[in-house]
Amino acid sequence: MNTIGYIFRLTTFGESHGAAIGGVIDGCPSQLKLDFDFIDKELDRRKTAQTSTASQRKEPDRIEWLSGLLDGVTLGTPIAFMVRNEDCKPADYEALKDVYRPSHADFTYEQKYGLRDWRGGGRASARTTLPIVVAGAIAKQILKGKGIQIVAEVTEMGDAEQAKNEGDTVGGIVECRIISAPAGLGEPMFGKFSAELAHALFSLPAVKGFEIGDGFALAKMKGSEANDTFINKAGRITTPTNHSGGIQGGISNGNDIVFRVAFKPIPSIAKPQKTVNRAGDPCEIAIEGRHDVCALPRAVVLVEALAAMVTVDMERLAR
Amino acid sequence: MNTIGYIFRLTTFGESHGAAIGGVIDGCPSQLKLDFDFIDKELDRRKTAQTSTASQRKEPDRIEWLSGLLDGVTLGTPIAFMVRNEDCKPADYEALKDVYRPSHADFTYEQKYGLRDWRGGGRASARTTLPIVVAGAIAKQILKGKGIQIVAEVTEMGDAEQAKNEGDTVGGIVECRIISAPAGLGEPMFGKFSAELAHALFSLPAVKGFEIGDGFALAKMKGSEANDTFINKAGRITTPTNHSGGIQGGISNGNDIVFRVAFKPIPSIAKPQKTVNRAGDPCEIAIEGRHDVCALPRAVVLVEALAAMVTVDMERLAR
Amino acid sequence: MNTIGYIFRLTTFGESHGAAIGGVIDGCPSQLKLDFDFIDKELDRRKTAQTSTASQRKEPDRIEWLSGLLDGVTLGTPIAFMVRNEDCKPADYEALKDVYRPSHADFTYEQKYGLRDWRGGGRASARTTLPIVVAGAIAKQILKGKGIQIVAEVTEMGDAEQAKNEGDTVGGIVECRIISAPAGLGEPMFGKFSAELAHALFSLPAVKGFEIGDGFALAKMKGSEANDTFINKAGRITTPTNHSGGIQGGISNGNDIVFRVAFKPIPSIAKPQKTVNRAGDPCEIAIEGRHDVCALPRAVVLVEALAAMVTVDMERLAR
Amino acid sequence: MNTIGYIFRLTTFGESHGAAIGGVIDGCPSQLKLDFDFIDKELDRRKTAQTSTASQRKEPDRIEWLSGLLDGVTLGTPIAFMVRNEDCKPADYEALKDVYRPSHADFTYEQKYGLRDWRGGGRASARTTLPIVVAGAIAKQILKGKGIQIVAEVTEMGDAEQAKNEGDTVGGIVECRIISAPAGLGEPMFGKFSAELAHALFSLPAVKGFEIGDGFALAKMKGSEANDTFINKAGRITTPTNHSGGIQGGISNGNDIVFRVAFKPIPSIAKPQKTVNRAGDPCEIAIEGRHDVCALPRAVVLVEALAAMVTVDMERLAR
């Protein structure tokens, strides 16, 4: 369950403060000359500290490539990579070892596994999304060769500066657009393009909503308002409106695939909160330290990455 | 891609006006005495014509059980079942054979497969969801034995009576609640309980949005408002609020799992619409005949069914 | 676990004396005009009573096609089919209800599931292989379009006539050849062409051995004897010898893929045998009735069918 | 396709002379205190140079654990590990860069991928089996807790000393025994215990045959000779003979599961061989350097490892 994809598949591993975070990409086409600069740029987009909304943690994120490449060209064999967790200060987290932080995964992981890596969120840390950026960057490179682009942006976000002063955090919405994907991608029934996107996006921490096209707004429309009529535009059948978000019956119709993802506020807040510890005793915590006020700026590249991975997979299955 | 689930798996087959619609359930526990009355009642909930919002199509939906049972008890082997498509009048659809109905899957199926079963929507028809109800009813029976319940209801719906008079259709929202699921279900990273639910629900026709807990509303909250603090309630650690919808870090926390699904209006409307035919020539259609004004009343049991199937699967994986 | 294949996938269902035996083929290409005569001929090859080595059970094996077809052409959607079990006389098996037949699956099924369908072997009956023939026939048709052929034959078999007189049964070996498969099929590591064939063939009842190329004989050779040297034959690189059976490093080399499958004798013998019943009490049985002396003649088409299905899948994955 | 297993899953990566060889184990139970000494001992069993039949390559095989552990205890999250390829002299292989070694994967990899890592066999090198030993050692530890043991041995091998003098290599047979596995493991139809073992074992380089119980010898027996009659042994139903190798109908019967694997001779021989190069021109090669005369001594631990992994998976699925 730490693997995503059918043909283009990513398996990730790593805890926030274990030895390393990394992934194995299986099913990447051979003979692709990887654009390492682009991968680094994508990683920079995820990196901390670049804006006032993000935390101060320094993550050099230097990728070590372990396999699957010969002189920077893909061999068709698994591409393994990792980033060492250099900035490891478990002592910072000692105080939280026995406390269940509200709306974190501390309690649920312990319920599931009987133990958890309490150092910085362990496997549930946002840091574990790093391999997704790497796989997404490679997926984007594959898509580029097919003329397909992925572009996301923050379309809604709370007032981060104010929240910061209050020791609070904010959530928001990221909108993503898959541009120039051909019609006919996606599988009917249980492999719908929309379903695969929803599944992938809900893999990100803090995601609590996903909608495609006009999404929840469609629930308030009439059929005559919601339908996308077909026209013949210079010999190409298309729809001038795009309430459907480019997907009909689970399959792409050639229009932009447009979806939105809702992120809850980061649960680590400096404001004091009541909670309980492992023994069930009430206690109060104030989560100090290097934490973002808002995950949204970092999340944009993650949303794009997962969209790219799903698109590569759908394209591959449609052959 | 016509299969859903990891251990408790449903494979469905059938087109709206082919010989039959059916499914194969693999991974159902043995020695379960199936409650056929309950399955029939669940099918009735999906059936047409019971309300003024639904179409007039008569579907007896008599299940033929093909395998996997001995004297009504599950053998542990695949449970195959089908319903014959008796009420088949392809002539009704002849006029639509070469026309791309707006916001239907006609165009996308043709782009994908080069042909389509044009009789009543073929594989993309809402009728193909029938096997989900059967598998869901069996899943509910399994969950009942574990004290877990699934209850959904329509929480938002357009004005169906008015739409009917206008030859139009309406959408809406279904809210579902998984009650008394134990903490610790769901897999981290790419098998999160929320992600599996989103994937499953997006398999239903007309679904365009999915949110869990407070969902999209969380995007506007602050962390201090969105967090669910833990308390010790008579020796059991729980959260008095449930903004998270029972899922933290992708894993159930023992609280109700609450999610909402947005359905677009049914695209088959009686009002005349502009579109194009296969040749790309503009034309006008008015979809007459037996069509629902709103899918929501029928959808409730489908939402419950998929939630039940996913819950059985998550419970099974957590052992 | 009743599904085989990655892209071209067959799910089977049915017990020997349940309502029906059948399957669902997912991932079959669209726009294929099925050759129903060929499918029937392949089913005839599996049918009983054609030779003195086979039992007297009459199986009309009339396929009902349930989905996935429009005017005999594949739609790309799941192809479901079934054969009703008409010749059902459970009374014949009543005597065996509580007895564990030696080297049958009676005991192991009960250990696994807590109960079993005791009528004619239930899910473990050789009759449940029928859907494999159907899927194999379709796979062969796909391969034919690519110039690939599958041919199997019995290369070793005990003296059936003598065994029949003695109330005994015999085993044997089937050799199969996949002809004109292109080089480059099969995946390295855990998806080797040879591994997929071995997995598929071991799905047949009574299979106890599988070898590729010179197989077990290679264990006695030296490298200099076992190696297949490459030559340039009119511009095409090939090997004049084929000790490897067409597979090197798990991937096809363009030569014939040759493998052999060992079948044990059918365990149902007329000769009296000692065994125990469910209570653990010793008893003696003599399995009367309609049983083959040798499974080999029927098995040939099954071996071909599975080889064809695997080849279609490997070809599809290699794109 | 570089992943094996359903619940207990191993994904491997690495080429012989790339940066590292490693794996990711997903689905390992949490709260298992890993026995690192045992893992090292198992790796030693695979290591080179310990006998005169093996090559001189020095492989320290020092495992770096990357994730999934806290103080040596499994977290339930993916366990990633790797071994660096320190002894890398690509120059040794330069001469073979454009030559297709007989019965190696050079030619087939190039046909499949368009390129290959020519340094020491790349992904097809026997060195890439190292992660299997690690996963197998962990699987054995899990099985030990359930009282299940796995023991393999070389039962047939050519004359290695003589072959060495002749610049040749030899093959052989490994027999493996899974002891004290409970009855009821394995899935019917396409997930038979025997089929999963065959699939796993054929993943090893040089494997060309697999048989279970009496295997190919059963093809020459009569039913009355091949059947395993049941007896009641002190209240436990078992079979005094074990022609079936512990598997009936694909499911374990509680007896030892016994299988044999045939290995071809290592194709790298010092004797001069004729072959062709990438251009299709004939040439002669004599493969000098550090190569084993026989893979069998190293293979024993690999056979056990795969058997252990499959057994853990079957046990997990049977719950």
Side-chain angles (χ1 to χ4, degrees):
Chain A
M1 303 296 255
N2 290 276
T3 299
I4 190 167
Y6 295 93
I7 306 280
F8 184 88
R9 304 203 301 164
L10 171 68
T11 299
T12 70
F13 60 84
E15 289 77 40
S16 179
H17 288 78
I21 294 279
V24 183
I25 300 165
D26 202 357
C28 183
S30 62
Q31 297 182 287
L32 185 73
K33 186 154 185 59
L34 287 194
D35 184 341
F36 296 107
D37 283 346
F38 177 64
I39 296 169
D40 283 343
K41 275 177 199 153
E42 292 288 275
L43 284 168
D44 282 345
R45 293 175 67 196
R46 199 202 72 92
K47 214 193 280 177
T48 344
Q50 72 276 43
T51 78
S52 56
T53 64
S55 77
Q56 303 305 312
R57 180 170 177 176
K58 287 195 190 66
E59 302 173 272
D61 290 354
R62 214 189 112 266
I63 300 271
E64 285 182 67
W65 299 93
L66 302 174
S67 69
L69 301 172
L70 184 65
D71 302 331
V73 176
T74 58
L75 287 163
T77 57
I79 303 168
F81 59 91
M82 68 171 187
V83 174
R84 297 213 171 262
N85 293 320
E86 299 181 40
D87 187 20
C88 182
K89 295 182 195 164
D92 294 358
Y93 301 98
E94 191 83 27
L96 297 172
K97 194 173 174 178
D98 293 316
V99 175
Y100 297 136
R101 292 169 297 165
S103 285
H104 269 283
D106 303 340
F107 174 70
T108 55
Y109 265 63
E110 275 201 24
Q111 290 292 309
K112 183 171 186 63
Y113 295 117
L115 82 171
R116 66 181 162 100
D117 186 345
W118 46 271
R119 302 166 304 171
R123 183 70 180 146
S125 162
R127 180 159 171 77
T128 64
T129 59
L130 186 149
I132 292 171
V133 178
V134 177
I138 295 175
K140 280 181 184 176
Q141 199 184 331
I142 296 170
L143 294 177
K144 197 181 175 186
K146 297 175 191 298
I148 303 171
Q149 275 179 283
I150 316 271
V151 185
E153 61 177 331
V154 176
T155 53
E156 192 176 314
M157 196 174 109
D159 185 334
E161 293 303 324
Q162 188 196 328
K164 194 178 182 182
N165 294 337
E166 294 170 358
D168 218 328
T169 56
V170 295
I173 291 174
V174 172
E175 180 173 296
C176 183
R177 200 167 276 268
I178 305 171
I179 302 166
S180 303
L185 304 190
E187 305 289 321
M189 209 48 59
F190 302 119
K192 292 188 166 80
F193 205 140
S194 37
E196 296 298 329
L197 285 170
H199 177 267
L201 270 302
F202 261 100
S203 302
L204 292 181
V207 167
K208 287 295 187 176
F210 175 91
E211 61 180 9
I212 195 148
D214 289 353
F216 275 86
L218 285 164
K220 295 185 191 301
M221 292 189 194
K222 291 185 181 170
S224 58
E225 297 161 339
N227 281 358
D228 295 313
T229 53
F230 289 102
I231 60 162
N232 183 330
K233 190 176 173 184
R236 184 168 157 268
I237 294 173
T238 186
T239 63
T241 57
N242 192 14
H243 304 294
S244 305
I247 306 283
Q248 282 157 347
I251 301 171
S252 65
N253 66 6
N255 215 322
D256 285 2
I257 297 168
V258 189
F259 63 86
R260 268 172 305 284
V261 186
F263 291 81
K264 71 173 184 180
I266 289 171
S268 292
I269 60 175
K271 265 190 183 173
Q273 297 178 89
K274 287 191 163 51
T275 185
V276 301
N277 63 18
R278 298 186 72 188
D281 300 325
C283 58
E284 194 177 273
I285 55 164
I287 303 172
E288 304 294 347
R290 308 162 308 175
H291 291 285
D292 291 1
V293 172
C294 183
L296 271 285
R298 288 164 173 257
V300 173
V301 68
L302 286 164
V303 170
E304 288 179 9
L306 287 163
M309 289 161 63
V310 170
T311 305
V312 165
D313 221 26
M314 292 293 108
E315 196 279 334
R316 183 66 186 68
L317 281 174
R319 277 183 220 173
Chain B
M1 302 297 257
N2 290 275
T3 299
I4 189 167
Y6 296 92
I7 306 279
F8 184 87
R9 304 204 301 164
L10 171 68
T11 300
T12 71
F13 60 83
E15 287 79 39
S16 179
H17 288 79
I21 294 278
V24 183
I25 300 165
D26 202 356
C28 183
S30 62
Q31 297 181 289
L32 186 72
K33 186 155 187 59
L34 287 194
D35 184 341
F36 296 107
D37 283 347
F38 177 65
I39 296 169
D40 284 344
K41 275 177 198 152
E42 292 287 277
L43 284 167
D44 282 346
R45 293 176 67 196
R46 200 202 71 92
K47 213 193 280 177
T48 345
Q50 71 275 41
T51 77
S52 56
T53 63
S55 78
Q56 303 303 313
R57 181 170 178 178
K58 285 193 192 67
E59 302 174 272
D61 290 353
R62 213 189 113 267
I63 300 271
E64 284 183 68
W65 300 93
L66 302 174
S67 69
L69 301 171
L70 184 65
D71 303 331
V73 175
T74 59
L75 287 162
T77 57
I79 302 168
F81 58 91
M82 68 171 188
V83 174
R84 296 214 173 262
N85 293 320
E86 299 181 40
D87 187 20
C88 182
K89 295 182 196 166
D92 293 358
Y93 300 98
E94 191 83 29
L96 297 172
K97 193 173 174 178
D98 294 316
V99 175
Y100 296 136
R101 292 169 298 164
S103 284
H104 268 282
D106 303 342
F107 174 70
T108 55
Y109 265 63
E110 276 200 24
Q111 290 291 311
K112 182 171 186 62
Y113 294 118
L115 83 171
R116 67 183 162 100
D117 186 345
W118 45 271
R119 302 165 306 170
R123 182 72 180 144
S125 163
R127 180 160 170 75
T128 64
T129 58
L130 187 149
I132 292 171
V133 178
V134 176
I138 294 174
K140 280 181 184 176
Q141 198 183 331
I142 296 169
L143 294 178
K144 197 181 174 186
K146 298 176 191 297
I148 304 171
Q149 274 180 285
I150 316 272
V151 185
E153 61 178 331
V154 176
T155 53
E156 192 176 314
M157 196 174 110
D159 185 335
E161 292 306 321
Q162 189 197 328
K164 193 178 183 182
N165 293 337
E166 293 170 357
D168 218 327
T169 57
V170 295
I173 291 174
V174 172
E175 181 173 296
C176 183
R177 200 168 278 267
I178 305 171
I179 301 166
S180 303
L185 304 190
E187 305 289 321
M189 208 49 58
F190 302 119
K192 292 188 165 79
F193 204 140
S194 37
E196 296 298 327
L197 286 170
H199 177 266
L201 270 302
F202 262 100
S203 302
L204 292 181
V207 167
K208 288 293 187 177
F210 175 92
E211 61 180 7
I212 194 146
D214 289 353
F216 276 86
L218 286 164
K220 294 185 191 300
M221 292 189 196
K222 290 184 180 169
S224 57
E225 298 160 338
N227 281 358
D228 294 313
T229 53
F230 289 102
I231 59 162
N232 184 330
K233 191 177 173 184
R236 184 169 157 267
I237 293 172
T238 186
T239 64
T241 56
N242 193 13
H243 304 294
S244 305
I247 305 283
Q248 282 157 347
I251 302 172
S252 64
N253 67 4
N255 215 322
D256 285 2
I257 297 168
V258 189
F259 64 86
R260 269 172 304 284
V261 186
F263 291 81
K264 70 173 185 180
I266 289 171
S268 293
I269 60 175
K271 267 191 181 171
Q273 296 178 89
K274 287 191 162 53
T275 186
V276 301
N277 63 18
R278 298 185 72 188
D281 299 326
C283 59
E284 195 175 275
I285 56 163
I287 304 171
E288 305 292 348
R290 309 162 307 175
H291 291 286
D292 291 1
V293 172
C294 184
L296 272 285
R298 287 164 172 256
V300 173
V301 68
L302 286 164
V303 169
E304 288 178 9
L306 287 163
M309 290 160 63
V310 170
T311 305
V312 165
D313 222 27
M314 292 295 107
E315 197 280 333
R316 184 65 185 69
L317 280 174
R319 275 183 222 174
Chain C
M1 303 297 257
N2 290 276
T3 299
I4 190 168
Y6 296 92
I7 306 281
F8 184 87
R9 305 204 302 165
L10 171 68
T11 299
T12 71
F13 60 83
E15 288 79 39
S16 179
H17 288 79
I21 294 277
V24 183
I25 300 165
D26 202 356
C28 184
S30 62
Q31 296 182 289
L32 185 72
K33 186 155 187 60
L34 287 194
D35 184 341
F36 295 108
D37 283 346
F38 176 66
I39 296 168
D40 284 344
K41 275 177 199 153
E42 292 286 276
L43 284 168
D44 281 346
R45 293 176 68 196
R46 199 203 71 93
K47 213 194 279 177
T48 343
Q50 71 275 41
T51 77
S52 56
T53 63
S55 78
Q56 302 304 313
R57 180 171 178 177
K58 287 194 189 65
E59 302 175 90
D61 289 353
R62 214 190 113 266
I63 300 271
E64 286 183 67
W65 299 94
L66 302 174
S67 69
L69 301 171
L70 184 66
D71 302 330
V73 175
T74 58
L75 287 162
T77 56
I79 302 169
F81 59 91
M82 69 172 185
V83 174
R84 297 213 172 263
N85 293 321
E86 300 181 39
D87 187 20
C88 181
K89 294 182 196 164
D92 293 358
Y93 301 97
E94 191 84 28
L96 297 172
K97 193 174 176 178
D98 294 315
V99 175
Y100 297 137
R101 292 169 297 165
S103 285
H104 269 282
D106 303 341
F107 174 70
T108 55
Y109 265 63
E110 276 200 23
Q111 290 291 310
K112 182 172 186 63
Y113 295 118
L115 82 170
R116 68 183 162 98
D117 186 344
W118 45 271
R119 302 166 304 171
R123 182 72 179 144
S125 164
R127 180 161 171 74
T128 63
T129 59
L130 187 149
I132 292 172
V133 178
V134 176
I138 294 174
K140 280 181 184 176
Q141 199 183 329
I142 296 169
L143 294 178
K144 198 181 173 184
K146 297 176 192 297
I148 303 171
Q149 274 179 286
I150 316 272
V151 185
E153 61 178 330
V154 176
T155 53
E156 192 176 315
M157 195 173 112
D159 184 335
E161 292 306 321
Q162 188 197 330
K164 193 179 184 182
N165 293 338
E166 295 170 355
D168 218 327
T169 57
V170 295
I173 292 174
V174 172
E175 180 174 296
C176 183
R177 200 167 277 268
I178 305 171
I179 302 166
S180 303
L185 305 189
E187 305 290 321
M189 209 48 59
F190 301 119
K192 293 188 164 79
F193 204 140
S194 38
E196 296 298 328
L197 286 170
H199 177 266
L201 269 301
F202 262 100
S203 302
L204 292 180
V207 166
K208 287 293 186 177
F210 175 91
E211 60 179 9
I212 195 148
D214 289 353
F216 275 85
L218 286 163
K220 294 185 191 302
M221 292 188 195
K222 291 185 182 167
S224 58
E225 298 161 339
N227 281 358
D228 294 313
T229 53
F230 289 103
I231 60 163
N232 184 330
K233 191 176 173 184
R236 183 168 157 268
I237 294 172
T238 186
T239 63
T241 56
N242 192 13
H243 304 294
S244 304
I247 305 284
Q248 283 157 347
I251 302 172
S252 65
N253 67 5
N255 214 323
D256 285 1
I257 297 168
V258 189
F259 64 86
R260 269 172 305 284
V261 186
F263 291 81
K264 71 173 184 180
I266 290 170
S268 294
I269 61 175
K271 266 191 181 170
Q273 297 179 90
K274 288 189 161 55
T275 186
V276 301
N277 63 18
R278 298 186 71 187
D281 299 325
C283 58
E284 194 177 275
I285 55 164
I287 304 171
E288 304 293 347
R290 308 162 308 176
H291 292 285
D292 291 1
V293 172
C294 183
L296 273 283
R298 287 162 172 257
V300 172
V301 68
L302 286 164
V303 170
E304 288 178 10
L306 287 164
M309 289 161 62
V310 170
T311 305
V312 165
D313 221 26
M314 292 293 108
E315 197 280 331
R316 183 67 186 68
L317 280 174
R319 276 182 221 173
Chain D
M1 303 296 256
N2 289 276
T3 299
I4 189 167
Y6 296 92
I7 306 280
F8 184 87
R9 305 203 299 165
L10 171 68
T11 300
T12 71
F13 60 83
E15 288 78 40
S16 179
H17 288 80
I21 295 278
V24 184
I25 300 165
D26 202 357
C28 183
S30 61
Q31 298 180 287
L32 185 72
K33 185 155 187 60
L34 287 194
D35 184 341
F36 296 107
D37 283 346
F38 177 64
I39 296 169
D40 284 344
K41 275 177 199 153
E42 292 288 276
L43 284 168
D44 281 346
R45 293 175 68 196
R46 200 203 71 92
K47 213 194 278 177
T48 341
Q50 71 276 43
T51 77
S52 55
T53 64
S55 77
Q56 303 306 312
R57 180 170 178 178
K58 286 195 191 65
E59 303 174 90
D61 290 353
R62 214 189 112 266
I63 299 271
E64 286 182 66
W65 299 94
L66 302 174
S67 69
L69 300 172
L70 184 65
D71 302 331
V73 175
T74 58
L75 288 162
T77 56
I79 303 168
F81 58 91
M82 68 172 187
V83 174
R84 296 212 172 264
N85 293 320
E86 299 180 40
D87 188 18
C88 181
K89 294 183 195 164
D92 293 358
Y93 301 97
E94 191 84 28
L96 297 172
K97 193 173 176 178
D98 293 316
V99 175
Y100 296 137
R101 291 169 298 166
S103 285
H104 269 282
D106 303 340
F107 174 71
T108 55
Y109 265 62
E110 275 200 23
Q111 290 291 310
K112 182 171 186 63
Y113 295 118
L115 83 171
R116 67 182 163 99
D117 186 344
W118 45 271
R119 303 167 304 171
R123 182 71 179 145
S125 162
R127 180 159 170 76
T128 64
T129 59
L130 187 149
I132 292 172
V133 178
V134 177
I138 294 175
K140 279 181 185 177
Q141 198 184 332
I142 296 169
L143 294 178
K144 197 180 173 186
K146 297 175 192 298
I148 304 171
Q149 274 180 286
I150 316 271
V151 184
E153 60 177 330
V154 176
T155 53
E156 193 177 313
M157 197 175 109
D159 185 335
E161 293 305 322
Q162 188 197 329
K164 193 179 183 181
N165 294 336
E166 294 170 357
D168 218 328
T169 56
V170 296
I173 291 174
V174 173
E175 181 173 295
C176 183
R177 200 168 277 268
I178 305 170
I179 301 166
S180 303
L185 305 190
E187 306 290 321
M189 208 49 59
F190 302 120
K192 292 187 165 80
F193 204 140
S194 38
E196 296 299 328
L197 286 170
H199 177 266
L201 270 301
F202 262 101
S203 302
L204 293 180
V207 167
K208 288 294 185 176
F210 175 92
E211 61 180 9
I212 194 148
D214 289 353
F216 276 85
L218 286 163
K220 294 184 192 301
M221 292 188 196
K222 290 185 181 169
S224 57
E225 298 160 339
N227 281 358
D228 294 313
T229 54
F230 289 103
I231 61 162
N232 183 331
K233 191 177 173 183
R236 184 168 156 268
I237 294 173
T238 187
T239 63
T241 56
N242 193 13
H243 304 294
S244 304
I247 305 284
Q248 283 157 346
I251 302 172
S252 64
N253 67 5
N255 215 323
D256 285 2
I257 297 169
V258 189
F259 63 86
R260 270 172 304 283
V261 186
F263 292 81
K264 70 172 185 180
I266 290 171
S268 293
I269 60 175
K271 266 190 183 173
Q273 297 179 90
K274 289 190 161 55
T275 186
V276 301
N277 62 18
R278 299 186 71 188
D281 299 326
C283 58
E284 195 176 271
I285 55 164
I287 304 172
E288 303 294 347
R290 308 161 309 173
H291 291 286
D292 290 0
V293 172
C294 183
L296 272 284
R298 287 164 173 257
V300 173
V301 68
L302 286 164
V303 170
E304 288 179 9
L306 287 163
M309 290 161 62
V310 170
T311 304
V312 165
D313 221 26
M314 292 293 108
E315 197 280 333
R316 183 66 185 69
L317 280 173
R319 279 183 217 172

